[in-house]
Amino acid sequence: VANTRGVDVPAMQKFVKGRGLQIDGGYGKIKGKTFRIAHMGDATRADFEELFGALNDFLISLRA
């Protein structure tokens, strides 16, 4: 996912990790500019809803 809002990706990773979830913060030239949701094919719709909810909560927390 392209980080078009300039979000602090390491802070977002830490936030979702606190909820038992994980995202990848990119590597090389794209580190901190993108993030990746890896699923290894075993993720359910509920798994994605949980992750998207955590990402949404993180973005809402930036406005507070």
Side-chain angles (χ1 to χ4, degrees):
V1 177
N3 183 7
T4 59
R5 295 183 179 189
V7 172
D8 182 346
V9 175
M12 187 168 63
Q13 285 178 283
K14 185 176 180 179
F15 185 90
V16 300
K17 187 174 184 177
R19 295 189 176 193
L21 304 166
Q22 189 171 2
I23 58 173
D24 180 73
Y27 53 90
K29 292 180 181 180
I30 62 171
K31 186 172 181 116
K33 297 178 183 176
T34 65
F35 67 93
R36 184 171 58 93
I37 300 169
H39 58 80
M40 300 297 289
D42 294 329
T44 65
R45 180 180 181 140
D47 294 330
F48 283 106
E49 288 174 353
E50 181 181 11
L51 177 59
F52 294 150
L55 294 172
N56 187 59
D57 290 346
F58 175 76
L59 293 173
I60 288 171
S61 76
L62 297 178
R63 291 187 275 177

